[in-house]
Amino acid sequence: VNIDDATLKQKGQFPFPRKEYATLIRDLYSRGAGLVVLGITVLDFVIYFVMPASGWRNFIFIFFGLVKAYYIVGAFMHLKHEKINLALVILVPMVFVLGLISGLLYEGSALEVMKSL
């Protein structure tokens, strides 16, 4: 769903009436837009509660969270086809957050080792 010049000529001035939004939302749901995120979330919960606690389980949990975040930002927020500067504004902080999460997971294991001494 993109709002470009052709859409503005066809539909008129933005913002569109609520009826237009309702039609767009029904169209998205009929095409299964929410099923991808729902499927990933269900798989995420199954893996999280079935696997024993380990670093791999945490990695998979974080990975699925990032996949859902990418899909939501790209598909639902329509940022998939934006310019590179906007993408970098989103991706660069994500790299720092991933580094923070990795450091916390590493240090969390180090604390367990220190407790056993």
Side-chain angles (χ1 to χ4, degrees):
V1 178
N2 288 326
I3 300 173
D4 55 2
D5 290 334
T7 305
L8 291 175
K9 286 179 184 177
Q10 179 186 13
K11 303 285 186 187
Q13 181 66 32
F14 185 80
F16 304 130
R18 287 180 177 244
K19 185 177 180 180
E20 293 292 328
Y21 285 116
T23 304
L24 289 173
I25 291 170
R26 275 192 221 107
D27 186 42
L28 285 172
Y29 276 106
S30 69
R31 294 180 188 201
L35 294 178
V36 174
V37 176
L38 177 66
I40 293 171
T41 303
V42 168
L43 184 63
D44 190 18
F45 271 96
V46 168
I47 287 175
Y48 190 76
F49 289 112
V50 170
M51 281 183 72
S54 67
W56 281 107
R57 183 183 78 170
N58 292 341
F59 174 78
I60 292 170
F61 191 67
I62 292 168
F63 176 76
F64 280 145
L66 292 174
V67 168
K68 288 187 288 189
Y70 169 78
Y71 188 75
I72 289 168
V73 168
F76 293 114
M77 295 174 63
H78 310 290
L79 296 179
K80 195 178 209 177
H81 305 290
E82 289 292 333
K83 295 187 177 198
I84 190 69
N85 291 337
L86 182 59
L88 288 176
V89 166
I90 295 170
L91 292 176
V92 170
M94 186 180 294
V95 170
F96 288 111
V97 169
L98 288 175
L100 174 67
I101 291 171
S102 300
L104 290 173
L105 290 173
Y106 177 77
E107 288 297 321
S109 298
L111 289 176
E112 291 298 321
V113 171
M114 291 177 69
K115 287 179 185 177
S116 67
L117 295 177

